[in-house]
Amino acid sequence: MTVIELLAATAGNAIADAPTRLDPIELFADADIVVQLVIAGLLIASIWVWAIIIGFTLRMRNLRRSSSTFEDEFWSNEDVDPLLDKRRRKDSPSARVAAAGINEFRRSHKAGIRDADAARARVAQMMDGQVAHESDVLASRLNFLATVGSVAPFVGLFGTVWGIMNSFFQIGLQQNSSLAVVAPGIAEALFATAVGLFAAIPAVIAYNRLSGTVNAFEARLARFADRVHAQVSRDMERV
C-alpha cells in the first residue's frame, strides 16, 4: 500500500468515525471549564424560568376562580361579614379589595360622617391602593423572567467569546490553523450562545404574556372596586 493510499484510508476512517449529528452532552463535556459553568448556569436559569411559568399560570387560575366565587357570593348576600373573614381574605384578592373599602366605610361611620364626599374619597383610595398592591405582588413574581430574558443572551455570548479565545489559543499552541483544530472549540463556544437563547426566548415570551394576564386581572379588580364603591356610596346616602 502506498503512502497516498494509506493517507486516504486514514481519512476515510476518520470521516466514518466522525459524528453525524450534534451531541449536546458531548459538546458540554468537551468544553472549557468556564464555558461549562456558563452553560450550567443558563440551564439552571431555564429550569427556574419554566418553574415560574407553570407555577404562576396555576396561581392565576386559582386566583381568578376564587375571586369569581367571592364576587358572586358578595353580590348575592346582604350580610357580607362572613365573607370578609381572614380565610377568605387570604384566598381571594377580591375579598381583600372589598374588605379595604368596607372597613374604611365602617371607620368613617363609627367616627360620624361629617363630609360624605371626603368619606367616599377615602373609601376609593383604600380600594385603589389595595388593587395596586395586589397587582404589584403578582408582577414582582415575574421579575426573574425579565432578568433572564434580557441577560441570558449576553451570558451565553460571554461563554462563546471565551470558547473562541480558547480555540485561538489552541491554534497558537499547536502551530496548526486547520479547521480540524478550530472547529470543535468553536462548536462548543457557540453551544453556549444557543443555551442562552434557549433560556431567554421562553422567558421573554412568558413575561409578555403573563404581564398581560396581570394587567387584565388588575383591571378586573378595579371594576369590582368601582362597583363596591358605588354600593358604599348608596349606603352613605341612607345614613
Side-chain angles (χ1 to χ4, degrees):
M1 179 179 293
T2 63
V3 175
I4 295 178
E5 292 174 344
L6 180 61
L7 291 175
T10 303
N13 293 333
I15 293 174
D17 295 336
T20 58
R21 60 183 178 84
L22 290 176
D23 187 349
I25 297 177
E26 184 177 351
L27 287 175
F28 176 81
D30 295 339
D32 182 78
I33 182 63
V34 175
V35 180
Q36 286 181 343
L37 291 175
V38 169
I39 293 174
L42 290 172
L43 289 176
I44 293 173
S46 179
I47 294 173
W48 196 350
V49 163
W50 281 105
I52 291 175
I53 292 172
I54 296 172
F56 192 87
T57 301
L58 295 176
R59 176 174 174 77
M60 288 303 302
R61 182 182 302 171
N62 293 333
L63 290 179
R64 283 193 294 265
R65 183 183 300 114
S66 63
S67 294
S68 296
T69 301
F70 173 81
E71 291 171 19
D72 292 340
E73 295 178 356
F74 182 85
W75 296 118
S76 62
N77 288 274
E78 294 183 1
D79 184 11
V80 298
D81 288 336
L83 301 177
L84 300 179
D85 59 13
K86 291 183 179 179
R87 185 184 66 82
R88 296 301 296 270
R89 291 201 301 270
K90 180 180 179 181
D91 295 339
S92 173
S94 293
R96 292 190 288 270
V97 171
I102 292 174
N103 290 339
E104 177 59 33
F105 166 70
R106 289 175 175 172
R107 285 192 292 267
S108 299
H109 183 267
K110 183 177 180 180
I113 300 177
R114 297 180 178 84
D115 188 343
D117 291 336
R120 292 189 184 95
R122 288 194 299 271
V123 171
Q125 288 174 355
M126 292 299 294
M127 287 193 293
D128 289 344
Q130 187 64 38
V131 169
H133 173 73
E134 298 293 336
S135 177
D136 290 341
V137 170
L138 291 174
S140 65
R141 299 172 181 269
L142 304 179
N143 291 336
F144 185 75
L145 298 182
T147 301
V148 172
S150 59
V151 173
F154 295 100
V155 176
L157 183 61
F158 167 76
T160 296
V161 172
W162 184 274
I164 292 176
M165 289 170 56
N166 187 58
S167 295
F168 281 114
F169 176 78
Q170 294 298 325
I171 291 175
L173 186 65
Q174 299 181 24
Q175 299 295 318
N176 188 350
S177 60
S178 66
L179 188 61
V181 174
V182 180
I186 293 179
E188 296 157 8
L190 292 175
F191 183 52
T193 297
V195 175
L197 295 176
F198 176 78
I201 291 174
V204 172
I205 294 175
Y207 177 78
N208 293 332
R209 179 68 180 87
L210 296 178
S211 294
T213 302
V214 171
N215 292 336
F217 189 70
E218 181 182 11
R220 172 181 176 168
L221 291 178
R223 290 192 297 270
F224 175 68
D226 290 341
R227 294 181 63 191
V228 174
H229 182 262
Q231 181 62 43
V232 170
S233 297
R234 287 190 292 269
D235 293 339
M236 285 183 180
E237 293 175 357
R238 292 194 294 265
V239 174

